[in-house]
Amino acid sequence: MKRLRAMREPLKYVQGKDAVKHFYEEMHYMGKKWLFICSRSGYKTCHDGIEESFGDHDDVRHYEVFGGISSKGEIAKFQKMVEEEGIETVVGVGGGSAVDTAKATAFYTHTHVVIIPTVAATDAPCTGLSVIYNDDGSFDKYLFYPTNPDAVLVDTQVIANAPVRFLVAGLGDALGTYFEGRASIQTESPSLEGTGITRVGMAIAKECYKTLRNYGKQAIVACENNVVTPALEAIVEANVYMSGVGADNVNCAAAHSFYNGLTSLGGHSAPHGNCVAFGTLVQLILEGATKEEFEDVQGFCLEVGLPVTLEELGITTKEQIETIAKNACVPGETIHNLAGDVTPDELYAAIVAADALGKAVKK
């Protein structure tokens, strides 16, 4: 083995109905001064429950609604607040951008960080990295941290009340975890955090896929009706924890490279997870997956409403596919974790084939 194997995960993970009402009970040991960096919806859905959790305790609670993206300017603004007010713990409340902003703020100020996701659309809450943007909205860098968040607290009633499309996107993001990890360990690629891949990491990734297949449709029905059921609890754990810890400790491959290639088109509106789901089908084509395995994954996508054709992602021309293939194969992309490597021509062919199989099954 070329690298030391390692496991990365949040120090604490708490999930359940009305979990925000137990925030103080679960997190009080992290200090007495708190900065809550909230999305607008995060503040609306979680503020009252969090406040209820503090009861008569006199902790300082500073709530701020952030600007919408995890930009360098936003992070600097919150960093200044932490330093001037002596904040001990930063809490990110909201979607991926709020989460990434809170992680970065805590990292630069050497404080604790707690994450409260309000949607189960990505695995960002549990991972040890943030996507950082310039103030004009353009991509700046991936910021990797030496540790994962101190704690993640997920209120499944909040997730159940969110639009179903976010849960579906989370299913798509989680779908790639096992297949990308399987490809990476076969080529002895490093984990997302740069270490050797562990058996435990792969076991979590595999359990993630099993959970999606067993409970995905039931969880969607629960979310459509704004109720928390065992199936929804299982899928939230898969989307947020298993996918996040799995991805951190295995790696990405072609599915995420497909998404990155698609973003090079500019102006796309398809959710990240939807793109990763189709990218997973593309990866299976590249790997020469059996008919049974491909149809199992494709069937899952159809069952839960994830895309199986390019048109569902807004991709309609040969030139767009060529651009995606070219940019998904640039040096440093995770598609190179696949055995035998992949050229733009090979990826182009796999994209076209996955789309054709999707069109055929939807006739």
Side-chain angles (χ1 to χ4, degrees), residues 60-76:
V60 174
R61 285 99 72 186
H62 181 167
Y63 293 85
E64 283 283 338
V65 174
F66 84 120
I69 62 171
S70 50
S71 66
K72 292 190 286 188
E74 281 290 294
I75 294 164

Side-chain angles (χ1 to χ4, degrees), residues 226-304:
N226 307 123
V227 294
V228 176
T229 65
L232 182 67
E233 291 279 4
I235 287 301
V236 170
E237 185 178 342
N239 284 10
V240 178
Y241 184 83
M242 293 184 206
S243 180
V245 174
D248 248 12
N249 293 287
V250 291
N251 204 334
C252 300
H256 274 79
S257 285
F258 172 81
Y259 167 77
N260 291 339
L262 192 151
T263 62
S264 68
L265 297 174
H268 79 95
S269 58
H272 170 81
N274 291 35
C275 301
V276 170
F278 186 82
T280 301
L281 296 173
V282 172
Q283 178 175 316
L284 291 173
I285 295 288
L286 287 167
E287 293 177 307
T290 64
K291 176 177 181 287
E292 290 75 19
E293 183 173 61
F294 182 86
E295 290 182 351
D296 184 59
V297 178
Q298 186 190 59
F300 170 75
C301 291
L302 290 166
E303 181 180 56
V304 300

Side-chain angles (χ1 to χ4, degrees), residues 258 261-268 310-311 313-328 348 351-352:
F258 172 81
L262 192 151
T263 62
S264 68
L265 297 174
H268 79 95
L310 289 171
E311 186 178 4
L313 299 175
I315 308 304
T316 57
T317 70
K318 178 175 184 273
E319 290 73 24
Q320 287 176 314
I321 302 172
E322 289 173 341
T323 299
I324 292 170
K326 175 184 175 183
N327 287 286
Y348 175 88
I351 294 171
V352 170

